[in-house]
Amino acid sequence: MPSSLLLEVPALADFNRAWTELTDWLSLLDRVLKSQRVMVGDLEDINEMIMKQKTTLQDLEQRRPQLEELITAAQNLKNKTSNQEARTIITDRIERIQNQWDEVQEHLQNRRQQLSEMLKDSMQWLEAKEEAEQVLGQARAKLESWKEGPYTVDAVQRKITETKQLSKDLRQWQINVDVANDLALKLLRDYSADDTRKVHMTTENINASWGSIQKRVNEREATLEEAHRLLQQFPLDLEKFLAWLTEAETTANVLQDATRKERLLEDAKGVRELMKQWQDLQGEVEAHTDIYHNLDENGHKILRSLEGSEEAVLLQRRLDNMNFKWSELRKKSLNIRSHLEASSEQWKRLHLSLQELLVWLQLKDDELSRQAPIGGDLQAVHKQNDVHRTFKRELKTKEPVILSTLETVRIFLTEQPLQGLEKLDQEPRELPPDERAQNVTRLLRKQAEEVNTEWEKLNLHSADWQRKIDEALETLQALQAATDELDLKLRQAEVIKGSWQPVGDLLIDSLQDHLEKVKALRGEIAPLKENVSHVNDLGRQLTTLGIQLSPYNLNTLEDLNTRWKLLQVAVEDRIRQLHEAHRDFGPASQHFLSTSVQGPWERAISPNKVPYYINHETQTTCWDHPKMTELYQSLADLNNVRFSAYRTAMKLRRLQKALCLDLLSLSAACDALDQHNLKQNDQPMDILQIINCLTTVYDRLEQEHNNLVNVPLCVDMCLNWLLNVYDTGRTGRIRVLSFKTGIISLCKAHLEDKYRYLFKQVASSTGFCDQRRLGLLLHDSIQIPRQLGEVASFGGSNIEPSVRSCFQFANNKPEIEAALFLDWMRLEPQSMVWLPVLHRVAAAETAKHQAKCNICKECPIIGFRYRSLKHFNYDICQSCFFSGRVAKGHKMHYPMVEYCTPTTSGEDVRDFAKVLKNKFRTKRYFAKHPRMGYLPVQTVLEGDNMETPVTLINFWPVDSAPASSPQLSHDDTHSRIEHYASRLAEMENSNGSYLNDSISPNESIDDEHLLIQHYCQSLNQDSPLSQPRSPAQILISLESEERGELERILADLEEENRNLQAEYDRLKQQHEHKGLSPLPSPPEMMPTSPQSPRDAELIAEAKLLRQHKGRLEARMQILEDHNKQLESQLHRLRQLLEQPQAEAKVNGTTVSSPSTSLQRSDSSQPMLLRVVGSQTSESMGEEDLLSPPQDTSTGLEEVMEQLNNSFPSSRGHNVGSLFHMAGDLGRAMESLVSVMTDEEGAE
């Protein structure tokens, strides 16, 4: 919007700001809606998102009045302005924000409808998925129940029936899987913008498992069908093969008989005919070799399944008969060939046969060696097993030939004489016949032995190879089953892992639930470690067997181990991330408080969890929240309130509102404290416990006052304030009692309800409270004004006088009950008067009095109303009263009554009667009958000390004392200020300002008044030349004077200490002269039963001396602190003297700023007024509250007149006249002090 237009129409600025805020909120809301994704198929996640949408819609509806107000304001602006450009801009912006509002609302409604449909579809899909997984489980159970049974026709038929039934069931169950797939596809299609990983992975897993089951069932069905066919065909094939054997045996017998005829070898034609017939027979034998082996193999399978039955015996006989006939047929065939091939060179033919057999055996051995090594996967080993089965068939087929040849050689070597061998050898002989025959025999025998050896070696090699194949098959099958099982379990775990949302997208409140789920998953996958170890052991076992796993199996093992490790790492990382998120973002974290500051500020946390704040612009850090710093700076505006009690109460009221504790009821605070089990008041609370309790408090307040409470900001600010009050050293711990005291003191409740609750916290189980417990409560309470730098006005932070006052009020009972405590608190003791004043300030905020201020003419009077009890119809508003302004004819010491609520007719009549009475009373009467608005307490210098140092909470028993004097801490500003009032009292006693050693109960220590008195004394020195003329000289003069006074006081204390020691020595000597046991040294003295009246007197006197010595040491420490506090007050006085003169009109006259400052400085003590039934109070005026009562009829009027004359109303003051006015001021103050001190002496 153009700036010129904003200048022309100022109301547009407010409209523009409101429009921008609402537009930005709608834009942010729209972006958040678009960025929100939900896990499809996760009902919990969908329901959480639906609740979010519902809450967002409620927020939108709650902001609708804001939109309507904006539209109304726009219409009013359009009606009020005649600027056409402004009207156009307003119309355009209203249309835009209405459209944006409608779009966001429509988006919210559509999204909510979509989520409802998604929830319904996800529920349907989950039901279908469960049904599909149920049928998968049933199918797996049936597959696992199948075992190898009898290999018979009936058994195989039953298995085929079961398999077909399972196939039928699978076809029916396919419907469930198809329904789950269809619903999954619908989810994937309709909600692709959301997270569909869970649906996708679950569907893939179901389909993969379903496909594997179907494949296994189909393969089993095909195998069983083939086995059934073979079993049905086996008896027929066996009968047919036996019939052929019988026929072939008959043919072999005929040929064998023919070959044994005499002179057969001479008939070459007959030999050829017989050889042709033998070849035909041998061809049939070889053609039936495979049939024989198949029958033999299947027969043995059937035998194994029929083991122990009669059918097995019959089948075994038939198989034995078949094998016998087959062997005999092969032998007869070989014999026939041998007879047909018989000739003169028989030994050479045997020699050639043996050589052929050796070559064959060598080839087979090489072939068997080439089958190694064993394959690295199940498929390769199955193939090797089939190859070796064929190899063994060849060996079995060759076995009769080898055995027959070896038998023929044996017979030949046995039957043939050497002469026959000689005849067989027609070659020329060079060797003798005997030697040649021996060589032939030796050659045949050697070859026969080699053939036999190689045959046995080949059989052993084959058996060993078969054993290795069997072991490899068994191990690989176990490995395959183990890897399948592990893969299935890993896939299930990975499905769960894949459904995990990023930790950053999780709701903070759901972090703990997600953490528990991940821990449960970790427990579920823990047994997988055994599966992984088993798979790896099987892999190592195969390696030990010399089996090199195939690349597929190696990759599978590596993949399974990698997936297992990744799953473990993912689970541990997820748990770690959730732990960190729960720590950093959960209910026990402080992350949500980071939004309590804006740039360039950043909230950081120290190692002990204490927050601090970084300003990146100035590169500085500080303990206080930026808003808290601004709040403290704003409290300086209240320093112009003269009376400390009201000044403190108004500061606390502003602090109470900033912390939103004015909205917190006592019952809500108690509920929060009970919810966090804060019952042990002496126990410390750490930062997280404080934050958790404060979060509970402010969350409840946010629900009740949504637009007033910013939870992160309020929690951080309240934490900051509590640490400033009770943990200035930032240790990160405060006591439970301190926490309760701070929260309850500033909450919204009746005053006496607060008193009762606080007393209950320190009372015992019997309802009584002793001095130590009451001291704890008052100590924690006084820290609240102490943090604001106002503790001096309430008697300092030494709570001993207040405790003593309370128990004196209770007639020095060892314990007090709640009723006595409440009665004492109703008197508004000085240390606690700020709390009832706070309640009166809160009550007066909205009070409207139908009266006119006689000074500023305000009508009606808002806030406190002060009615004079000296003059009729004379009222003052709180602003004039707090600033000390008076009208002509009225003095501040005149009695007045305070109202924080509108007056009633009865109160008006009562006040009229009092005014009438006061008209006939003299000033001396008011001086002799002072009325205090609070209960003053004795300072630490009066009476017997409680056995506790000023700043310590720890109380010793009444009968014993600490071994050494207390040491006061000066680590921070509050510790240096906390004994301010008591130190000033000691200074006045040392200077002879008072005649008594103690201050009367009606006296009040006025810090600034003492400063003025010191200043006047410094101005009144004997030599005019030594009179200081500037604030610096005043400061130097006072420092030197104070140093001398301190040295003199220390000397007096040392002298007193020496006198006490001498007195003690004297008493000790008297004691020894009388023959009594020597007295112990003072630190060793313990309360004992005296042996005689004289002993009791000596012990009591020694105890009193020791107590007196302790008090003196405490006073000395207090004086040192007084010195530092006095320096700060003198510095303030110097600033008041040096600041530019300002004018303030009082009673029609103009007074300069020094006068105003001095007048205001008269009010460091609070105006403590006594509240009665109707919340009214009476006071004898300012002087009753600030100083001892005195007659001010003449002296004070003269002093005020002299002050007014000293500071004329001229505006032309220069710096040179400042010193002249300082002198006049000194003389005026001297007169004032004289009047006051003279009256004190007279009384």
Side-chain angles (χ1 to χ4, degrees), residues 544-585:
T544 304
L545 295 175
I547 301 173
Q548 182 66 33
L549 290 175
S550 65
Y552 173 78
N553 279 339
L554 288 175
N555 292 334
T556 300
L557 289 178
E558 183 179 0
D559 178 64
L560 291 174
N561 281 278
T562 302
R563 288 165 61 191
W564 165 243
K565 291 178 181 178
L566 290 176
L567 182 61
Q568 284 182 306
V569 171
V571 170
E572 295 301 327
D573 286 347
R574 180 74 171 183
I575 292 176
R576 178 182 55 78
Q577 291 173 2
L578 289 173
H579 270 302
E580 292 176 354
H582 191 265
R583 181 195 65 204
D584 298 336
F585 304 96

Side-chain angles (χ1 to χ4, degrees), residues 368 374 388 392 457-471:
L368 185 60
I374 292 179
H388 190 252
K392 288 194 297 182
K457 180 180 177 182
L458 183 61
N459 282 325
L460 290 174
H461 192 182
S462 175
D464 182 64
W465 180 245
Q466 185 64 50
R467 179 182 59 78
K468 290 181 179 180
I469 289 177
D470 292 341
E471 290 179 354

Side-chain angles (χ1 to χ4, degrees), residues 96-111:
R96 285 166 56 188
I97 199 169
Q98 283 181 328
N99 293 335
Q100 188 178 8
W101 182 281
D102 294 339
E103 289 176 0
V104 171
Q105 189 175 28
E106 183 180 2
H107 189 186
L108 274 170
Q109 293 174 349
N110 292 340
R111 179 59 171 169

